[in-house]
Amino acid sequence: MAILNTHRAHIIFFHLVAACCSVYAQTAASGKPVVNQDSLVIASFENSVKEYMKLHNKAKAGVPPLKPTNSAHAINQYQRLLASNTRAARPDAKQGDIFTPEISQEFKRLIGMTMKGPGAAKIQASLRHAEPVSKIPLQVNSVYPEHVPLQSSPPSVLLNLPPLPPELDYRIVGHDLVLRDVGANMIVDFIPGAIPSP
Amino acid sequence: MRMASPSLSSNAKAAERRVIATAATALTSDAAVRPSVSPYQSACDLPNEQKSVHFAVIGDSGTGGSEQYQVAQQMENCRQKFGFDFVLMLGDNIYGGKSQQDFERKFEQPYKALLDAGVKFYATIGNHDDPNERLYKPFNMGGARYYSFKKENATFFALDSNYMDSSQMDWLDHQLQITSTPWKVCFFHHPLYSDARYHGPDLDLRAVLSPLFQKYGVNLVLSGHDHVYERFKPANGAYYFLLGNSGELRYHDLKRSADMVAGFDTDRDFMLAEIAGDKFYFQTISRSGQVVDSGVLERPQR
């Protein structure tokens, strides 16, 4: 697919250039090949997500499975139970556990790169027209408030972030980036100030 | 359910004439888009051809307010006269709370007559919806936030425009590639085109989706989000409609542009549609039963 490939090509190209420059500089200095630090940071994020998914799957195993149902009550009940089990499995979780300072920095760089690129005006317009969510207090392990709309995420930003398993998604709240457990509608972690002002 | 029509050919001819007459039959607050009233204004009057696809469209419907119920009543009136098998929901299906009572008040009760008659609703997720609505069986999403289904010569693609990530893009690319029906209809919440003042078009979404639509010949695109009705000039071989006022309304929100063919921003409405061969017949009907836009559009040739 042309458009997606273009996005990915930009990211890959950027990382390749960064990696080559980094390797060249560091190899030249030390004589030993080194690994691109950005890739390491992303790999570290992916590992944290895998760890969270293990916990999520364990919590899910303790909840009766839910197929499509006529009962909204059953959906809400399932969501509450899953959130409760997941919360119980990580009672001490706090902001920055997954989005460590290094990972937050890398995400800010990736988002900033997208939002200052050729599509910047479109992305900013997309954010403005998406019914921006007013500032709500974010807290790890708490449920995303059901009365507050979920702001849409500009595709260009999403396509430049590391992909997530379907059980998780990225959400924008004001200038913050939230990692959300979809089934539990629960805030897993967030990066304050990840979305730059225009 | 499809009702037989005793006068198919005369209805079809009337609809053919209508396309000429309805360059702009819609009503808006903008003086530039005042109606030029067509003589063909009988609600629920589509050709009703054999083997055609009949459906209705609603957007931003789930308020639970009396206006939503009145639109639903007009839909039921049309179902009895014209018959349609299913309804496309363009998102914001349930505003506010998501309790059992909310689903009853904002969906099950207003559309009870349609549901009892076996009409199926196919939902997409809006920004006011809980993505877990995909598990609500009457929305026919099969537990997925994006999905497709086929009816006769048309394939319908329900997209989640809140979250257009790489997995959804890959899925859409593949599905469009393997779909051979002449009509490819995409429906989702956020509009690629909109002349509403409040939100307007999602340009980033347009930049990502339009090339795909063009590449694979998507010929009809339906969206909501802005609480008005608008029909646009074809863009890249596709007809674009915005319908986000089946429950909510943003009064006098439209501003005319060169892309607008018709608009309506002074009341709620829904769309009645029929795909028959290479033709797309439609009527947009207000909650008082007035036809605010109508016409027949030829499938663009690639």
mmCIF file of all heavy atoms in Angstrom, chain A residues 1 4 8 68-70 72-73 76 79 126 129 131 149-150 152-156 158 169-170 182-183, chain B residues 97-98 100 103 127-128 130-132 135-138 162-163 166 170 173 199 201-202 204 208 225:
data_model
loop_
_atom_site.group_PDB
_atom_site.id
_atom_site.type_symbol
_atom_site.label_atom_id
_atom_site.label_comp_id
_atom_site.label_asym_id
_atom_site.label_seq_id
_atom_site.Cartn_x
_atom_site.Cartn_y
_atom_site.Cartn_z
ATOM 1 N N MET A 1 0.848 -1.178 0.000
ATOM 2 C CA MET A 1 0.000 0.000 0.000
ATOM 3 C C MET A 1 0.890 1.236 0.000
ATOM 4 O O MET A 1 1.711 1.407 0.884
ATOM 5 C CB MET A 1 -0.870 -0.064 1.237
ATOM 6 C CG MET A 1 -1.838 1.038 1.335
ATOM 7 S SD MET A 1 -2.806 0.811 2.819
ATOM 8 C CE MET A 1 -1.514 0.570 3.992
ATOM 9 N N LEU A 4 0.995 3.884 3.109
ATOM 10 C CA LEU A 4 1.537 3.311 4.320
ATOM 11 C C LEU A 4 3.009 2.999 4.134
ATOM 12 O O LEU A 4 3.842 3.234 5.011
ATOM 13 C CB LEU A 4 0.757 2.035 4.679
ATOM 14 C CG LEU A 4 0.961 1.482 6.069
ATOM 15 C CD1 LEU A 4 0.758 2.570 7.115
ATOM 16 C CD2 LEU A 4 -0.008 0.345 6.325
ATOM 17 N N ARG A 8 6.148 4.234 6.322
ATOM 18 C CA ARG A 8 7.119 3.306 6.901
ATOM 19 C C ARG A 8 8.506 3.540 6.315
ATOM 20 O O ARG A 8 9.504 3.455 7.021
ATOM 21 C CB ARG A 8 6.676 1.865 6.644
ATOM 22 C CG ARG A 8 5.519 1.486 7.539
ATOM 23 C CD ARG A 8 4.962 0.147 7.150
ATOM 24 N NE ARG A 8 3.845 -0.192 8.002
ATOM 25 C CZ ARG A 8 2.967 -1.136 7.714
ATOM 26 N NH1 ARG A 8 3.085 -1.822 6.610
ATOM 27 N NH2 ARG A 8 1.973 -1.397 8.527
ATOM 28 N N PRO A 68 -20.004 -11.545 21.628
ATOM 29 C CA PRO A 68 -21.018 -10.509 21.390
ATOM 30 C C PRO A 68 -22.345 -10.880 22.049
ATOM 31 O O PRO A 68 -22.796 -12.016 21.972
ATOM 32 C CB PRO A 68 -21.123 -10.490 19.865
ATOM 33 C CG PRO A 68 -19.742 -10.829 19.408
ATOM 34 C CD PRO A 68 -19.259 -11.867 20.397
ATOM 35 N N THR A 69 -22.909 -9.904 22.716
ATOM 36 C CA THR A 69 -24.088 -10.149 23.553
ATOM 37 C C THR A 69 -25.122 -9.036 23.386
ATOM 38 O O THR A 69 -24.771 -7.913 23.004
ATOM 39 C CB THR A 69 -23.666 -10.218 25.038
ATOM 40 O OG1 THR A 69 -24.827 -10.206 25.860
ATOM 41 C CG2 THR A 69 -22.804 -9.022 25.444
ATOM 42 N N ASN A 70 -26.365 -9.359 23.692
ATOM 43 C CA ASN A 70 -27.429 -8.346 23.664
ATOM 44 C C ASN A 70 -27.423 -7.477 24.916
ATOM 45 O O ASN A 70 -28.154 -6.498 24.990
ATOM 46 C CB ASN A 70 -28.801 -9.023 23.553
ATOM 47 C CG ASN A 70 -29.021 -9.632 22.185
ATOM 48 O OD1 ASN A 70 -28.624 -9.065 21.173
ATOM 49 N ND2 ASN A 70 -29.632 -10.798 22.146
ATOM 50 N N ALA A 72 -25.859 -4.926 27.375
ATOM 51 C CA ALA A 72 -24.841 -3.899 27.652
ATOM 52 C C ALA A 72 -24.303 -4.078 29.071
ATOM 53 O O ALA A 72 -23.131 -3.799 29.341
ATOM 54 C CB ALA A 72 -25.440 -2.509 27.476
ATOM 55 N N HIS A 73 -25.170 -4.555 29.932
ATOM 56 C CA HIS A 73 -24.754 -4.799 31.322
ATOM 57 C C HIS A 73 -23.621 -5.829 31.347
ATOM 58 O O HIS A 73 -22.644 -5.661 32.096
ATOM 59 C CB HIS A 73 -25.951 -5.287 32.137
ATOM 60 C CG HIS A 73 -25.587 -5.680 33.536
ATOM 61 N ND1 HIS A 73 -25.253 -4.755 34.499
ATOM 62 C CD2 HIS A 73 -25.475 -6.903 34.133
ATOM 63 C CE1 HIS A 73 -24.962 -5.384 35.630
ATOM 64 N NE2 HIS A 73 -25.087 -6.692 35.427
ATOM 65 N N ASN A 76 -20.379 -4.202 30.294
ATOM 66 C CA ASN A 76 -19.840 -3.344 31.363
ATOM 67 C C ASN A 76 -19.255 -4.175 32.504
ATOM 68 O O ASN A 76 -18.206 -3.830 33.061
ATOM 69 C CB ASN A 76 -20.942 -2.424 31.899
ATOM 70 C CG ASN A 76 -21.363 -1.397 30.869
ATOM 71 O OD1 ASN A 76 -20.591 -1.040 29.991
ATOM 72 N ND2 ASN A 76 -22.594 -0.927 30.955
ATOM 73 N N GLN A 79 -15.932 -5.576 31.454
ATOM 74 C CA GLN A 79 -14.934 -4.499 31.474
ATOM 75 C C GLN A 79 -14.467 -4.218 32.903
ATOM 76 O O GLN A 79 -13.262 -4.101 33.167
ATOM 77 C CB GLN A 79 -15.589 -3.255 30.878
ATOM 78 C CG GLN A 79 -14.654 -2.145 30.503
ATOM 79 C CD GLN A 79 -15.380 -1.096 29.668
ATOM 80 O OE1 GLN A 79 -15.777 -1.350 28.546
ATOM 81 N NE2 GLN A 79 -15.568 0.078 30.210
ATOM 82 N N SER A 126 -6.310 18.111 12.146
ATOM 83 C CA SER A 126 -6.985 16.872 12.544
ATOM 84 C C SER A 126 -7.204 16.841 14.054
ATOM 85 O O SER A 126 -8.272 16.473 14.539
ATOM 86 C CB SER A 126 -6.133 15.680 12.098
ATOM 87 O OG SER A 126 -6.708 14.475 12.492
ATOM 88 N N HIS A 129 -9.978 19.302 15.009
ATOM 89 C CA HIS A 129 -11.324 18.915 14.588
ATOM 90 C C HIS A 129 -11.805 17.638 15.249
ATOM 91 O O HIS A 129 -12.925 17.203 15.014
ATOM 92 C CB HIS A 129 -11.356 18.734 13.066
ATOM 93 C CG HIS A 129 -11.071 20.002 12.331
ATOM 94 N ND1 HIS A 129 -10.719 20.034 11.007
ATOM 95 C CD2 HIS A 129 -11.072 21.284 12.744
ATOM 96 C CE1 HIS A 129 -10.520 21.285 10.638
ATOM 97 N NE2 HIS A 129 -10.730 22.065 11.672
ATOM 98 N N GLU A 131 -12.584 17.033 18.210
ATOM 99 C CA GLU A 131 -13.250 17.276 19.487
ATOM 100 C C GLU A 131 -12.260 17.037 20.626
ATOM 101 O O GLU A 131 -12.383 16.060 21.385
ATOM 102 C CB GLU A 131 -14.456 16.360 19.642
ATOM 103 C CG GLU A 131 -15.518 16.949 20.523
ATOM 104 C CD GLU A 131 -16.905 16.350 20.205
ATOM 105 O OE1 GLU A 131 -17.105 15.814 19.106
ATOM 106 O OE2 GLU A 131 -17.758 16.464 21.057
ATOM 107 N N PRO A 149 -15.402 11.769 25.790
ATOM 108 C CA PRO A 149 -15.150 11.145 24.497
ATOM 109 C C PRO A 149 -13.684 10.750 24.342
ATOM 110 O O PRO A 149 -12.794 11.388 24.915
ATOM 111 C CB PRO A 149 -15.541 12.222 23.486
ATOM 112 C CG PRO A 149 -15.779 13.465 24.240
ATOM 113 C CD PRO A 149 -15.882 13.139 25.685
ATOM 114 N N LEU A 150 -13.478 9.695 23.568
ATOM 115 C CA LEU A 150 -12.117 9.287 23.243
ATOM 116 C C LEU A 150 -11.680 10.076 22.013
ATOM 117 O O LEU A 150 -12.241 9.890 20.933
ATOM 118 C CB LEU A 150 -12.064 7.791 22.923
ATOM 119 C CG LEU A 150 -12.025 6.838 24.113
ATOM 120 C CD1 LEU A 150 -12.292 5.420 23.646
ATOM 121 C CD2 LEU A 150 -10.685 6.909 24.823
ATOM 122 N N SER A 152 -9.948 11.117 18.762
ATOM 123 C CA SER A 152 -9.316 10.329 17.710
ATOM 124 C C SER A 152 -7.833 10.693 17.632
ATOM 125 O O SER A 152 -7.434 11.817 17.938
ATOM 126 C CB SER A 152 -9.994 10.579 16.363
ATOM 127 O OG SER A 152 -9.871 11.932 16.019
ATOM 128 N N SER A 153 -7.041 9.729 17.211
ATOM 129 C CA SER A 153 -5.589 9.940 17.107
ATOM 130 C C SER A 153 -5.227 10.125 15.646
ATOM 131 O O SER A 153 -5.595 9.287 14.826
ATOM 132 C CB SER A 153 -4.851 8.727 17.679
ATOM 133 O OG SER A 153 -5.367 8.389 18.941
ATOM 134 N N PRO A 154 -4.533 11.191 15.282
ATOM 135 C CA PRO A 154 -4.186 11.394 13.873
ATOM 136 C C PRO A 154 -3.433 10.181 13.322
ATOM 137 O O PRO A 154 -2.469 9.721 13.932
ATOM 138 C CB PRO A 154 -3.279 12.630 13.900
ATOM 139 C CG PRO A 154 -3.634 13.336 15.160
ATOM 140 C CD PRO A 154 -4.016 12.265 16.134
ATOM 141 N N PRO A 155 -3.893 9.654 12.179
ATOM 142 C CA PRO A 155 -3.254 8.454 11.632
ATOM 143 C C PRO A 155 -1.751 8.613 11.422
ATOM 144 O O PRO A 155 -0.992 7.667 11.663
ATOM 145 C CB PRO A 155 -3.965 8.250 10.294
ATOM 146 C CG PRO A 155 -5.215 9.022 10.365
ATOM 147 C CD PRO A 155 -5.035 10.097 11.375
ATOM 148 N N SER A 156 -1.321 9.785 10.984
ATOM 149 C CA SER A 156 0.112 9.974 10.721
ATOM 150 C C SER A 156 0.936 9.783 11.990
ATOM 151 O O SER A 156 2.053 9.272 11.933
ATOM 152 C CB SER A 156 0.389 11.374 10.165
ATOM 153 O OG SER A 156 -0.248 11.528 8.940
ATOM 154 N N LEU A 158 -0.074 7.884 14.623
ATOM 155 C CA LEU A 158 -0.161 6.453 14.958
ATOM 156 C C LEU A 158 0.796 5.615 14.120
ATOM 157 O O LEU A 158 1.442 4.695 14.626
ATOM 158 C CB LEU A 158 -1.581 5.935 14.721
ATOM 159 C CG LEU A 158 -2.651 6.345 15.717
ATOM 160 C CD1 LEU A 158 -3.990 5.743 15.325
ATOM 161 C CD2 LEU A 158 -2.269 5.914 17.127
ATOM 162 N N ASP A 169 -4.174 0.402 23.061
ATOM 163 C CA ASP A 169 -4.110 1.470 22.061
ATOM 164 C C ASP A 169 -3.479 2.737 22.660
ATOM 165 O O ASP A 169 -3.321 2.854 23.870
ATOM 166 C CB ASP A 169 -5.484 1.763 21.420
ATOM 167 C CG ASP A 169 -6.540 2.302 22.385
ATOM 168 O OD1 ASP A 169 -6.178 2.758 23.484
ATOM 169 O OD2 ASP A 169 -7.730 2.279 22.014
ATOM 170 N N TYR A 170 -3.083 3.632 21.757
ATOM 171 C CA TYR A 170 -2.595 4.952 22.165
ATOM 172 C C TYR A 170 -3.767 5.920 22.089
ATOM 173 O O TYR A 170 -4.528 5.898 21.121
ATOM 174 C CB TYR A 170 -1.521 5.465 21.207
ATOM 175 C CG TYR A 170 -0.276 4.645 21.083
ATOM 176 C CD1 TYR A 170 0.009 3.951 19.904
ATOM 177 C CD2 TYR A 170 0.669 4.581 22.111
ATOM 178 C CE1 TYR A 170 1.172 3.210 19.756
ATOM 179 C CE2 TYR A 170 1.832 3.834 21.971
ATOM 180 C CZ TYR A 170 2.084 3.152 20.784
ATOM 181 O OH TYR A 170 3.240 2.423 20.650
ATOM 182 N N VAL A 182 -7.658 -1.661 26.128
ATOM 183 C CA VAL A 182 -8.944 -1.456 25.451
ATOM 184 C C VAL A 182 -10.070 -2.209 26.154
ATOM 185 O O VAL A 182 -11.113 -1.639 26.454
ATOM 186 C CB VAL A 182 -8.842 -1.896 23.974
ATOM 187 C CG1 VAL A 182 -10.187 -1.743 23.267
ATOM 188 C CG2 VAL A 182 -7.763 -1.099 23.251
ATOM 189 N N GLY A 183 -9.850 -3.499 26.419
ATOM 190 C CA GLY A 183 -10.910 -4.324 27.011
ATOM 191 C C GLY A 183 -11.308 -3.835 28.385
ATOM 192 O O GLY A 183 -12.479 -3.867 28.746
ATOM 193 N N GLY B 97 -23.583 8.211 29.158
ATOM 194 C CA GLY B 97 -23.450 6.953 29.889
ATOM 195 C C GLY B 97 -23.648 5.733 29.011
ATOM 196 O O GLY B 97 -24.250 5.819 27.931
ATOM 197 N N LYS B 98 -23.119 4.608 29.477
ATOM 198 C CA LYS B 98 -23.173 3.379 28.670
ATOM 199 C C LYS B 98 -23.813 2.230 29.462
ATOM 200 O O LYS B 98 -23.465 1.070 29.277
ATOM 201 C CB LYS B 98 -21.738 2.975 28.255
ATOM 202 C CG LYS B 98 -20.939 4.067 27.546
ATOM 203 C CD LYS B 98 -21.414 4.302 26.125
ATOM 204 C CE LYS B 98 -20.499 5.271 25.380
ATOM 205 N NZ LYS B 98 -20.802 6.687 25.616
ATOM 206 N N GLN B 100 -26.953 -0.263 30.810
ATOM 207 C CA GLN B 100 -28.018 -1.007 30.121
ATOM 208 C C GLN B 100 -29.172 -0.060 29.771
ATOM 209 O O GLN B 100 -29.704 -0.091 28.654
ATOM 210 C CB GLN B 100 -28.500 -2.131 31.043
ATOM 211 C CG GLN B 100 -29.616 -2.976 30.465
ATOM 212 C CD GLN B 100 -29.123 -3.904 29.371
ATOM 213 O OE1 GLN B 100 -28.048 -4.481 29.477
ATOM 214 N NE2 GLN B 100 -29.900 -4.023 28.308
ATOM 215 N N PHE B 103 -28.408 2.087 26.751
ATOM 216 C CA PHE B 103 -28.558 1.365 25.472
ATOM 217 C C PHE B 103 -30.039 1.199 25.117
ATOM 218 O O PHE B 103 -30.405 1.237 23.936
ATOM 219 C CB PHE B 103 -27.858 -0.002 25.541
ATOM 220 C CG PHE B 103 -26.388 0.062 25.236
ATOM 221 C CD1 PHE B 103 -25.496 0.601 26.146
ATOM 222 C CD2 PHE B 103 -25.893 -0.389 24.018
ATOM 223 C CE1 PHE B 103 -24.142 0.684 25.867
ATOM 224 C CE2 PHE B 103 -24.539 -0.313 23.732
ATOM 225 C CZ PHE B 103 -23.658 0.226 24.651
ATOM 226 N N ASN B 127 -16.415 8.984 18.302
ATOM 227 C CA ASN B 127 -15.562 9.393 19.432
ATOM 228 C C ASN B 127 -16.322 9.427 20.756
ATOM 229 O O ASN B 127 -15.710 9.427 21.820
ATOM 230 C CB ASN B 127 -14.900 10.753 19.156
ATOM 231 C CG ASN B 127 -15.902 11.848 18.882
ATOM 232 O OD1 ASN B 127 -16.773 11.701 18.037
ATOM 233 N ND2 ASN B 127 -15.794 12.959 19.598
ATOM 234 N N HIS B 128 -17.660 9.435 20.693
ATOM 235 C CA HIS B 128 -18.438 9.387 21.931
ATOM 236 C C HIS B 128 -18.821 7.958 22.322
ATOM 237 O O HIS B 128 -19.530 7.768 23.305
ATOM 238 C CB HIS B 128 -19.695 10.243 21.800
ATOM 239 C CG HIS B 128 -19.418 11.717 21.870
ATOM 240 N ND1 HIS B 128 -19.423 12.422 23.045
ATOM 241 C CD2 HIS B 128 -19.087 12.609 20.897
ATOM 242 C CE1 HIS B 128 -19.124 13.690 22.804
ATOM 243 N NE2 HIS B 128 -18.911 13.824 21.502
ATOM 244 N N ASP B 130 -18.028 3.890 23.302
ATOM 245 C CA ASP B 130 -17.061 3.013 23.943
ATOM 246 C C ASP B 130 -16.669 1.966 22.890
ATOM 247 O O ASP B 130 -17.545 1.287 22.343
ATOM 248 C CB ASP B 130 -17.719 2.343 25.156
ATOM 249 C CG ASP B 130 -16.795 1.347 25.840
ATOM 250 O OD1 ASP B 130 -15.700 1.070 25.317
ATOM 251 O OD2 ASP B 130 -17.183 0.835 26.914
ATOM 252 N N PRO B 131 -15.368 1.835 22.605
ATOM 253 C CA PRO B 131 -14.965 0.834 21.599
ATOM 254 C C PRO B 131 -15.479 -0.576 21.916
ATOM 255 O O PRO B 131 -15.596 -1.404 21.020
ATOM 256 C CB PRO B 131 -13.439 0.895 21.640
ATOM 257 C CG PRO B 131 -13.132 2.273 22.109
ATOM 258 C CD PRO B 131 -14.232 2.628 23.073
ATOM 259 N N ASN B 132 -15.818 -0.830 23.187
ATOM 260 C CA ASN B 132 -16.358 -2.153 23.524
ATOM 261 C C ASN B 132 -17.797 -2.337 23.039
ATOM 262 O O ASN B 132 -18.362 -3.421 23.203
ATOM 263 C CB ASN B 132 -16.257 -2.395 25.036
ATOM 264 C CG ASN B 132 -14.817 -2.668 25.457
ATOM 265 O OD1 ASN B 132 -14.030 -3.233 24.687
ATOM 266 N ND2 ASN B 132 -14.453 -2.247 26.646
ATOM 267 N N LEU B 135 -18.882 -5.318 20.980
ATOM 268 C CA LEU B 135 -19.373 -6.581 21.543
ATOM 269 C C LEU B 135 -20.891 -6.587 21.715
ATOM 270 O O LEU B 135 -21.462 -7.581 22.154
ATOM 271 C CB LEU B 135 -18.703 -6.829 22.907
ATOM 272 C CG LEU B 135 -17.197 -7.109 22.847
ATOM 273 C CD1 LEU B 135 -16.554 -6.922 24.221
ATOM 274 C CD2 LEU B 135 -16.939 -8.518 22.335
ATOM 275 N N TYR B 136 -21.526 -5.471 21.395
ATOM 276 C CA TYR B 136 -22.982 -5.364 21.536
ATOM 277 C C TYR B 136 -23.624 -5.955 20.267
ATOM 278 O O TYR B 136 -23.521 -5.386 19.176
ATOM 279 C CB TYR B 136 -23.339 -3.888 21.714
ATOM 280 C CG TYR B 136 -24.808 -3.603 21.909
ATOM 281 C CD1 TYR B 136 -25.529 -4.190 22.938
ATOM 282 C CD2 TYR B 136 -25.469 -2.726 21.057
ATOM 283 C CE1 TYR B 136 -26.865 -3.906 23.116
ATOM 284 C CE2 TYR B 136 -26.805 -2.432 21.226
ATOM 285 C CZ TYR B 136 -27.502 -3.035 22.262
ATOM 286 O OH TYR B 136 -28.837 -2.746 22.429
ATOM 287 N N LYS B 137 -24.249 -7.087 20.449
ATOM 288 C CA LYS B 137 -24.715 -7.884 19.309
ATOM 289 C C LYS B 137 -25.614 -7.114 18.329
ATOM 290 O O LYS B 137 -25.456 -7.249 17.108
ATOM 291 C CB LYS B 137 -25.449 -9.125 19.825
ATOM 292 C CG LYS B 137 -25.377 -10.312 18.910
ATOM 293 C CD LYS B 137 -25.909 -11.538 19.642
ATOM 294 C CE LYS B 137 -25.752 -12.775 18.805
ATOM 295 N NZ LYS B 137 -26.198 -13.965 19.563
ATOM 296 N N PRO B 138 -26.562 -6.305 18.810
ATOM 297 C CA PRO B 138 -27.429 -5.597 17.853
ATOM 298 C C PRO B 138 -26.684 -4.625 16.934
ATOM 299 O O PRO B 138 -27.265 -4.143 15.961
ATOM 300 C CB PRO B 138 -28.406 -4.844 18.774
ATOM 301 C CG PRO B 138 -28.438 -5.647 20.027
ATOM 302 C CD PRO B 138 -27.032 -6.145 20.200
ATOM 303 N N ASN B 162 -11.556 6.582 14.561
ATOM 304 C CA ASN B 162 -10.916 7.090 15.786
ATOM 305 C C ASN B 162 -9.470 6.647 15.866
ATOM 306 O O ASN B 162 -8.647 7.310 16.495
ATOM 307 C CB ASN B 162 -11.617 6.533 17.032
ATOM 308 C CG ASN B 162 -12.977 7.116 17.233
ATOM 309 O OD1 ASN B 162 -13.127 8.318 17.321
ATOM 310 N ND2 ASN B 162 -13.985 6.264 17.276
ATOM 311 N N TYR B 163 -9.230 5.480 15.251
ATOM 312 C CA TYR B 163 -7.928 4.857 15.487
ATOM 313 C C TYR B 163 -7.480 4.127 14.223
ATOM 314 O O TYR B 163 -7.609 2.905 14.107
ATOM 315 C CB TYR B 163 -8.050 3.886 16.676
ATOM 316 C CG TYR B 163 -6.727 3.546 17.299
ATOM 317 C CD1 TYR B 163 -6.056 4.472 18.088
ATOM 318 C CD2 TYR B 163 -6.142 2.302 17.105
ATOM 319 C CE1 TYR B 163 -4.836 4.156 18.656
ATOM 320 C CE2 TYR B 163 -4.927 1.980 17.669
ATOM 321 C CZ TYR B 163 -4.279 2.914 18.449
ATOM 322 O OH TYR B 163 -3.059 2.618 19.016
ATOM 323 N N SER B 166 -1.868 0.933 11.783
ATOM 324 C CA SER B 166 -1.318 0.179 10.646
ATOM 325 C C SER B 166 -2.067 -1.138 10.431
ATOM 326 O O SER B 166 -2.231 -1.572 9.293
ATOM 327 C CB SER B 166 0.184 -0.071 10.836
ATOM 328 O OG SER B 166 0.412 -0.748 12.056
ATOM 329 N N ASP B 170 -3.699 -2.019 6.872
ATOM 330 C CA ASP B 170 -3.320 -3.240 6.147
ATOM 331 C C ASP B 170 -4.553 -4.078 5.819
ATOM 332 O O ASP B 170 -4.683 -4.619 4.720
ATOM 333 C CB ASP B 170 -2.337 -4.077 6.988
ATOM 334 C CG ASP B 170 -0.969 -3.428 7.080
ATOM 335 O OD1 ASP B 170 -0.681 -2.522 6.263
ATOM 336 O OD2 ASP B 170 -0.179 -3.813 7.972
ATOM 337 N N ASP B 173 -6.537 -2.327 3.027
ATOM 338 C CA ASP B 173 -5.827 -2.483 1.754
ATOM 339 C C ASP B 173 -6.100 -3.862 1.163
ATOM 340 O O ASP B 173 -6.438 -4.007 -0.015
ATOM 341 C CB ASP B 173 -4.333 -2.278 2.003
ATOM 342 C CG ASP B 173 -3.535 -2.332 0.716
ATOM 343 O OD1 ASP B 173 -3.607 -1.363 -0.061
ATOM 344 O OD2 ASP B 173 -2.860 -3.345 0.476
ATOM 345 N N HIS B 199 -16.490 21.322 13.370
ATOM 346 C CA HIS B 199 -15.363 20.394 13.249
ATOM 347 C C HIS B 199 -14.612 20.601 11.937
ATOM 348 O O HIS B 199 -13.435 20.867 11.900
ATOM 349 C CB HIS B 199 -15.835 18.943 13.322
ATOM 350 C CG HIS B 199 -16.327 18.527 14.670
ATOM 351 N ND1 HIS B 199 -15.639 18.788 15.816
ATOM 352 C CD2 HIS B 199 -17.448 17.868 15.050
ATOM 353 C CE1 HIS B 199 -16.300 18.300 16.850
ATOM 354 N NE2 HIS B 199 -17.411 17.751 16.414
ATOM 355 N N PRO B 201 -13.340 19.086 8.033
ATOM 356 C CA PRO B 201 -12.803 17.810 7.536
ATOM 357 C C PRO B 201 -11.592 17.342 8.331
ATOM 358 O O PRO B 201 -10.844 18.154 8.863
ATOM 359 C CB PRO B 201 -12.395 18.154 6.096
ATOM 360 C CG PRO B 201 -12.070 19.609 6.132
ATOM 361 C CD PRO B 201 -13.032 20.214 7.133
ATOM 362 N N ASP B 202 -11.424 16.021 8.383
ATOM 363 C CA ASP B 202 -10.218 15.464 8.993
ATOM 364 C C ASP B 202 -9.183 15.285 7.877
ATOM 365 O O ASP B 202 -9.184 14.290 7.155
ATOM 366 C CB ASP B 202 -10.527 14.129 9.672
ATOM 367 C CG ASP B 202 -9.367 13.668 10.549
ATOM 368 O OD1 ASP B 202 -8.202 13.898 10.158
ATOM 369 O OD2 ASP B 202 -9.612 13.100 11.624
ATOM 370 N N ASP B 204 -5.895 14.895 7.940
ATOM 371 C CA ASP B 204 -4.880 13.847 8.086
ATOM 372 C C ASP B 204 -5.463 12.484 7.701
ATOM 373 O O ASP B 204 -4.810 11.692 7.022
ATOM 374 C CB ASP B 204 -4.357 13.829 9.524
ATOM 375 C CG ASP B 204 -3.086 13.002 9.666
ATOM 376 O OD1 ASP B 204 -2.204 13.123 8.791
ATOM 377 O OD2 ASP B 204 -2.978 12.232 10.632
ATOM 378 N N VAL B 208 -4.498 9.907 4.339
ATOM 379 C CA VAL B 208 -4.172 8.484 4.450
ATOM 380 C C VAL B 208 -5.161 7.609 3.675
ATOM 381 O O VAL B 208 -4.771 6.647 3.017
ATOM 382 C CB VAL B 208 -4.150 8.083 5.952
ATOM 383 C CG1 VAL B 208 -4.044 6.593 6.115
ATOM 384 C CG2 VAL B 208 -2.993 8.757 6.659
ATOM 385 N N HIS B 225 -20.087 12.816 12.484
ATOM 386 C CA HIS B 225 -19.270 13.661 13.351
ATOM 387 C C HIS B 225 -19.747 15.111 13.385
ATOM 388 O O HIS B 225 -19.998 15.646 14.461
ATOM 389 C CB HIS B 225 -17.794 13.567 12.958
ATOM 390 C CG HIS B 225 -16.842 14.108 13.982
ATOM 391 N ND1 HIS B 225 -16.936 13.821 15.320
ATOM 392 C CD2 HIS B 225 -15.754 14.913 13.861
ATOM 393 C CE1 HIS B 225 -15.955 14.423 15.986
ATOM 394 N NE2 HIS B 225 -15.223 15.092 15.134
#
